[in-house]
């Protein structure tokens, strides 16, 4: 609802509060937010507020978002392999890339180059995973 003057808005808000105090939960109401930083607001029957303010920024570009998805998939697949120095090294770099993107919206180019090099050796079990190819391709898009 939009009110042209504050007096009308205040009157409607008071009527809505009076109705709720008398057990009337239906009808119209007013929600006014001048500005808000963090937190969440929901209004209306069945509304649900979800506060995402503490979860860092969204990936800076669609390429970073695709990279984040590919990294998460590869991390899941790595857990299925027999632990080794190779899997530990790749898992560590993947964790750092995921943390950077989740925390800042983008991953460092140097870190991505190191990860691409680890995945590009082609000698180990990790390079045989389809998700490793997807991560390598996503890195190429981000660095392009």
């Amino acid at each position: 609802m939009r009110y042209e003057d504050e007096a009308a808005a205040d009157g409607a808000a008071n009527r809505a509060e009076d109705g709720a105090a008398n057990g009337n939960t239906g009808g119209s109401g007013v929600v006014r937010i001048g500005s808000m930083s963090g937190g969440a607001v929901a209004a209306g029957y069945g509304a649900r507020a979800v506060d995402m303010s503490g979860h860092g920024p969204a990936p800076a570009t669609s390429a970073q978002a695709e990279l984040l998805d590919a990294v998460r998939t590869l991390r899941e697949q790595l857990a299925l392999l027999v632990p080794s120095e190779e899997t530990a090294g790749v898992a560590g770099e993947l964790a750092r890339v995921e943390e950077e993107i989740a925390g800042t919206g983008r991953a460092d180019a140097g870190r991505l180059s190191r990860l691409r090099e680890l995945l590009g050796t082609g000698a180990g079990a990790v390079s045989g995973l389809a998700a490793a190819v997807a991560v390598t391709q996503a890195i190429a898009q981000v660095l392009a």
Side-chain angles (χ1 to χ4, degrees), residues 106-117:
R106 64 179 58 246
D108 176 70
R111 184 173 313 285
L112 293 179
S113 295
R114 284 190 300 279
L115 179 57
R116 182 171 55 183
E117 188 175 308

Side-chain angles (χ1 to χ4, degrees), residues 20-114:
N22 294 326
N24 182 3
T25 58
S28 64
V30 175
V31 174
R32 287 184 297 154
I33 300 172
S35 69
M36 183 172 165
S37 177
V41 174
Y45 179 77
R48 191 177 80 150
V50 179
D51 181 3
M52 298 296 290
S53 60
H55 296 282
T61 64
S62 61
Q64 292 278 351
E66 289 174 20
L67 174 59
L68 182 58
D69 288 342
V71 163
R72 288 176 173 162
T73 300
L74 181 52
R75 288 187 73 195
E76 290 172 5
Q77 289 182 4
L78 272 180
L80 303 174
L81 297 178
V82 175
S84 67
E85 282 186 39
E86 177 196 18
T87 59
V90 171
E93 284 299 317
L94 289 170
R96 286 184 281 280
V97 167
E98 181 176 356
E99 196 173 280
E100 280 185 354
I101 296 172
T104 67
R106 64 179 58 246
D108 176 70
R111 184 173 313 285
L112 293 179
S113 295
R114 284 190 300 279

